[in-house]
Amino acid sequence: MTTTYDVLSEGLEKRFSAVHALRGLDLAVARGTICGILGPNGAGKTTAVRLLTTLLRPDAGSARIAGHDLVREAPAVRRRIGVTGQYASVDGDLTGRQNLRLFARLHRVRGPAERAGELLDRFGLTEAADRPASTYSGGMRRRLDLAASLVRRPDVLFLDEPTTGLDPASRNQVWDAVRDLKREGTTVLLTTQYLKEADQLADDIALVDRGRVAHSGSPSQLKALIGTYAEVVVAHADALAKAAGVLDQLTGAEPSFDHERNTVGAVTGDPTLTLPRLVRELDAAGVPLLDASLRPPTLDDVFLRLTDRKEAVT
């Protein structure tokens, strides 16, 4: 079965004066999937989104969005995409219903009132439809913003950090909305600083570092790249250094510390390291142990191990 890609870029480059923001971005997002774009601050994520949504013109490289050339067919690309940025684009002085009618008219959608009603119902905003958007909670405003980006039924939806500043309950509401979009066949490209968000939503992840895709794959594939995480909880802070020495010998990786929890951990790619062996080595070294565990790595571990945060560009 041939895979159809709604976002396909090759060698995209972008400079801002002396800053080389994108250095050859290759990206492939299959139709009807969610792709998470992760990377350090300044790695080029937002620049990539601005290029792929035609807000910037690339200096080199090419891309096709929903089957259209990014540069030569920019108007056609704009007709096929929706964009939700980091900050709500709706007018706080207008009601939710008025906002959606306005967007529908701007996009020349037939039946703007009917389309607004459909989206208000879909995003659970019907009861608040005739209140000014300025009275909405953060989660409601983000859902209204999502609804506005879907007025034209886009093939590809770009979400640039859509849950920034939201509380956990509101974040979950946005996550549910994104999952619904995927079930309906919408292709979603998501940039986020919340690694749990990418883990929960993304079918595939592109880890961007220094203007390129450094690693890509499903969350489980990326986690498999760095092995297992060994974590040790000691009885008192004075024992952290000794526990770290044991982990260093067993894993060959630089340990990380959580001084509030008296915890030290390290990633290991050694498949022979078992929990009994870890406990034996700690006991032999005289480490006063409260707990020890071996667990799969999180995306946080992947992010820290596979990105060069010190040299990221703006």
Side-chain angles (χ1 to χ4, degrees), residues 38-268:
L38 303 183
N41 288 330
K45 303 185 302 297
T46 297
T47 299
V49 170
R50 293 179 69 191
L51 281 176
L52 295 171
T53 56
T54 76
L55 295 176
L56 291 174
R57 188 183 180 96
D59 297 326
S62 63
R64 296 188 69 82
I65 310 296
H68 296 282
D69 184 88
L70 181 67
V71 175
R72 294 195 304 270
E73 302 175 276
V77 170
R78 295 185 194 110
R79 288 193 293 269
R80 304 290 292 275
I81 66 174
V83 183
T84 297
Q86 298 179 28
Y87 306 101
S89 62
V90 296
D91 189 328
D93 293 330
L94 300 180
T95 68
R97 191 184 308 278
Q98 289 170 334
N99 268 288
L100 295 183
R101 285 180 176 176
L102 175 62
F103 276 92
R105 291 192 181 102
L106 289 172
H107 290 303
R108 300 179 181 179
V109 172
R110 292 182 180 179
E114 291 78 8
R115 183 58 178 154
E118 291 172 6
L119 290 167
L120 289 166
D121 182 61
R122 172 176 181 169
F123 285 92
L125 295 170
T126 301
E127 291 185 5
D130 298 310
R131 285 169 35 199
S134 60
T135 68
Y136 287 13
S137 67
M140 292 170 68
R141 285 179 70 98
R142 295 308 284 160
R143 280 184 281 146
L144 181 61
D145 209 34
L146 261 178
S149 68
L150 297 174
V151 161
R152 198 169 42 188
R153 296 182 175 88
D155 295 319
V156 184
L157 179 62
F158 291 85
L159 301 179
D160 191 12
E161 301 190 21
T163 61
T164 297
L166 296 188
D167 60 68
S170 297
R171 189 174 300 141
N172 284 334
Q173 290 175 338
V174 174
W175 289 359
D176 287 342
V178 174
R179 292 187 184 102
D180 287 342
L181 291 172
K182 177 194 168 182
R183 281 193 287 269
E184 294 168 8
T186 302
T187 303
V188 179
L189 193 145
L190 166 75
T191 70
T192 180
Q193 293 288 353
Y194 296 110
L195 301 187
K196 182 180 178 182
E197 183 164 86
D199 208 357
Q200 287 281 328
L201 296 177
D203 299 294
D204 292 290
I205 289 172
L207 192 58
V208 178
D209 197 19
R210 302 178 67 188
R212 297 187 181 94
V213 175
H215 300 276
S216 62
S218 68
S220 59
Q221 287 171 333
L222 291 182
K223 292 172 186 177
L225 291 176
I226 66 171
T228 301
Y229 191 77
E231 187 173 76
V232 174
V233 183
V234 297
H236 50 78
D238 292 343
L240 282 173
K242 188 178 290 186
V246 173
L247 286 178
D248 187 22
Q249 289 182 344
L250 290 175
T251 67
E254 182 179 351
S256 58
F257 296 87
D258 183 341
H259 292 282
E260 291 185 1
R261 297 173 51 230
N262 285 343
T263 299
V264 60
V267 173
T268 176

Side-chain angles (χ1 to χ4, degrees), residues 279-298:
V279 171
R280 283 197 305 270
E281 295 290 342
L282 291 164
D283 185 59
V287 176
L289 184 65
L290 292 182
D291 192 20
S293 62
L294 294 175
R295 62 167 174 78
T298 64

